[in-house]
Amino acid sequence: MVDTKAYNLISARLSARHVSLVAVSKTKPTEDIQALYALGQRDFGENYVQELVTKQPQLPSDIRWHFIGHLQRNKVRFIVPFVHLIHGIDSQRLLVTLDKEAARAGRRIDCLLQVHIASEETKFGMDINEINDLMNSTHGGKSLPNVRVRGLMGMASFSDDTELVRREFRSLKSLFDTVKASFFSGDEDFSVLSMGMSADHETAIQEGSNMVRIGSLLFGAR
Ligand SMILES: *Cc1c(COP(=O)(O)O)cnc(C)c1O
């Protein structure tokens, strides 16, 4: 069930702080997406390729679809024709595949590099060295003309320890600033820092997030 009151409060609060809201609609029916669309929401996030390609044609064409899950290289071509932003680029091989498939589709695709910031083992993402290697070998992604690296994404530990979560977000913001200064000086392309979910978005925004991905606060528990 969509909580329209929560949506109105959250979206007003975020827009006042210039933070973009991606409404995470994974596992939720298209009716729920329509309900938020009717209130003006246009950015929606999905985690699963099959679910996204099933929902996309049933919904308004001006929705900006964010792919926020783990993306397998053999699935890239299914979302490339319409996706707005891919948040989870976690290897150079995936970025190269995306460049190739984007060329084939005649598009330039915006993406974020996913950084592993959590102390947990299970979350996907690259470490600082892998990010630096990728940036060096692709000149900030510019040697791949059909992709555009717009920023970084990360997920903090799933933990009640707010200070741990805060430190993880802070380390991602610091890496964002370093990458921006090293590879994108004087270039506004690299401007998106996607961090924060239902439980931790306040902390993420305090630490410099400008894009949050919120599901259960808007759509109810999954
Ligand atoms: C599911 C998911 C979210 C949203 O999680 P909530 O806790 O429901 O807000 C955000 N980001 C990613 C990558 C997700 O998989």
Side-chain angles (χ1 to χ4, degrees):
M1 258 274 284
V2 176
D3 189 338
T4 55
K5 201 168 146 221
Y7 171 75
N8 286 325
L9 282 170
I10 292 169
S11 68
R13 204 156 40 77
L14 294 176
S15 71
R17 294 149 96 183
H18 307 288
V19 175
S20 304
L21 170 61
V22 177
V24 177
S25 49
K26 64 186 179 203
T27 78
K28 298 297 177 181
T30 53
E31 293 72 28
D32 287 6
I33 297 173
Q34 287 279 13
L36 286 195
Y37 181 90
L39 299 177
Q41 180 65 21
R42 291 296 179 270
D43 292 272
F44 290 90
E46 290 279 342
N47 277 56
Y48 307 102
V49 168
Q50 187 53 54
E51 185 179 347
L52 175 54
V53 300
T54 304
K55 284 172 168 174
Q56 185 267 339
Q58 304 176 44
L59 285 157
S61 59
D62 62 342
I63 285 182
R64 295 184 289 265
W65 290 106
H66 296 244
F67 191 79
I68 64 172
H70 177 64
L71 184 57
Q72 290 170 292
R73 283 184 299 136
N74 61 0
K75 302 267 176 70
V76 169
R77 64 196 153 99
F78 298 114
I79 63 171
V80 148
F82 63 86
V83 74
H84 174 69
L85 180 65
I86 297 176
H87 291 228
I89 300 296
D90 61 0
S91 72
Q92 183 155 338
R93 290 171 74 201
L94 178 57
L95 191 62
V96 168
T97 299
L98 179 60
D99 181 62
K100 201 177 73 191
E101 294 295 342
R104 194 171 291 172
R107 296 190 70 205
R108 189 174 188 203
I109 307 279
D110 284 356
C111 61
L112 308 177
L113 306 180
Q114 185 170 356
V115 186
H116 185 280
I117 52 170
S119 46
E120 294 154 14
E121 287 292 322
T122 50
K123 302 247 161 83
F124 293 103
M126 296 181 273
D127 64 24
I128 291 182
N129 294 325
E130 290 171 301
I131 297 277
N132 272 320
D133 288 350
L134 187 160
M135 282 294 172
N136 276 314
S137 64
T138 64
H139 303 96
K142 291 180 188 70
S143 68
L144 300 170
N146 307 293
V147 296
R148 190 160 60 150
V149 177
R150 299 296 314 277
L152 303 180
M153 177 270 213
M155 293 170 82
S157 295
F158 187 71
S159 167
D160 291 335
D161 183 348
T162 315
E163 286 315 306
L164 171 70
V165 168
R166 185 179 296 285
R167 282 197 301 278
E168 292 171 354
F169 285 143
R170 191 168 291 175
S171 73
L172 182 53
K173 172 63 161 74
S174 153
L175 178 61
F176 175 87
D177 291 340
T178 305
V179 170
K180 188 168 173 65
S182 311
F183 298 98
F184 297 91
S185 67
D187 173 346
E188 284 307 304
D189 277 359
F190 192 89
S191 58
V192 179
L193 182 54
S194 168
M195 59 183 197
M197 315 188 355
S198 288
D200 58 17
H201 69 281
E202 270 303 330
T203 307
I205 293 167
Q206 287 163 9
E207 296 303 328
S209 170
N210 58 24
M211 182 175 282
V212 295
R213 310 173 309 271
I214 296 186
S216 41
L217 276 184
L218 306 175
F219 293 106
R222 285 180 296 275

